[in-house]
């Protein structure tokens, strides 16, 4: 009898977990579908890095413009541009530019253009807590890498239940470093400069250009 009860409880638990995972998948697909419908996105955000053990607590603001796979990211005094083929990292303080060819299978980080779709491969997900943030219902989805050797322990993705836009992303790494990206402004279908995603080398005549491939 006890064995039967245990099996019944196990089946019930598995069923609940499957339903939870399905709800999370449905919500994530709604987010992905919505952002894919935009021609472009311009986002201002707050970036926070915390590691209590190392007594590290950094906070800064950044912005990113995204159109398809292309993006221009400004963060911590550095500009990173992806034109669809190459990544240009421009460091004014050092008057240096690093140029590398993007290789998708070697890219483990969450790039700006993949922020809304990175979870489609390599993660298990489940519904987490819901919070009220200034009158907005933010539903969190917890993502755990399928790769047990991944440096990322888990990611919490906060989603505005009404707009289906991402409110924030909280990434916890194996060393307990926590990176939080909070969206402060989210604009879509903006009039972007025609050459926004084009690198002009002649603008940086005094810079050292490091070609990494």
């Amino acid at each position: 009898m006890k064995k039967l009860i245990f099996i019944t409880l196990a089946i019930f638990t598995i069923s609940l977990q499957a339903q939870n995972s399905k709800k999370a998948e449905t919500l994530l697909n709604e987010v992905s579908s919505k952002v894919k419908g935009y021609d472009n996105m311009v986002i201002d955000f707050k970036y926070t890095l915390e590691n209590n053990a190392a007594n590290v607590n950094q906070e800064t603001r950044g912005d990113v413009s995204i159109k398809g796979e292309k993006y221009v990211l400004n963060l911590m005094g550095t500009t990173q541009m992806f034109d669809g083929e190459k990544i240009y990292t421009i460091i004014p303080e050092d008057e240096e530019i690093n140029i590398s060819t993007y290789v998708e299978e070697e890219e483990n980080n969450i790039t700006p253009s993949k922020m809304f779709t990175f979870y489609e491969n390599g993660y298990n997900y489940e519904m987490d807590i819901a919070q009220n943030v200034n009158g907005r219902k933010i539903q969190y989805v917890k993502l755990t890498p399928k790769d047990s050797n991944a440096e990322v322990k888990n990611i919490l993705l906060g989603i505005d239940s009404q707009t289906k836009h991402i409110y924030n992303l909280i990434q916890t790494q194996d060393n307990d470093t926590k990176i939080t990206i909070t969206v402060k402004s989210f604009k879509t279908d903006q009039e972007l400069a025609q050459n926004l995603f084009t690198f002009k080398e002649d603008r940086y005549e005094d810079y050292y250009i490091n070609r990494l491939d």
Side-chain angles (χ1 to χ4, degrees), residues 94-159:
D94 299 331
E95 292 191 338
E96 180 179 329
I97 299 173
N98 296 321
I99 304 177
S100 60
T101 300
Y102 174 74
V103 182
E104 185 171 3
E105 51 268 26
E106 294 179 358
E107 183 57 70
N108 296 318
N109 294 325
I110 302 171
T111 63
S113 54
K114 289 188 173 181
M115 183 176 177
F116 306 99
T117 58
F118 74 90
Y119 48 77
E120 293 178 348
N121 296 294
Y123 291 89
N124 295 313
Y125 27 77
E126 59 183 311
M127 298 291 273
D128 205 88
I129 64 171
Q131 290 185 336
N132 187 302
V133 180
N134 297 324
R136 300 164 63 189
K137 180 185 176 183
I138 306 299
Q139 174 65 58
Y140 283 90
V141 174
K142 185 176 182 179
L143 300 104
T144 307
K146 293 179 180 179
D147 181 2
S148 58
N149 296 318
E151 293 182 1
V152 175
K153 186 183 295 184
N154 61 65
I155 296 172
L156 283 171
L157 205 57
I159 299 167

Side-chain angles (χ1 to χ4, degrees), residues 1-9:
M1 184 66 179
K2 289 183 179 179
K3 186 176 182 180
L4 179 60
I5 293 174
F6 176 78
I7 293 173
T8 302
L9 287 173

Side-chain angles (χ1 to χ4, degrees), residues 23-39:
K23 285 182 180 179
E25 181 182 12
T26 298
L27 181 56
L28 291 173
N29 286 341
E30 288 177 339
V31 173
S32 178
S33 177
K34 189 155 189 178
V35 298
K36 286 176 180 177
Y38 299 133
D39 179 66

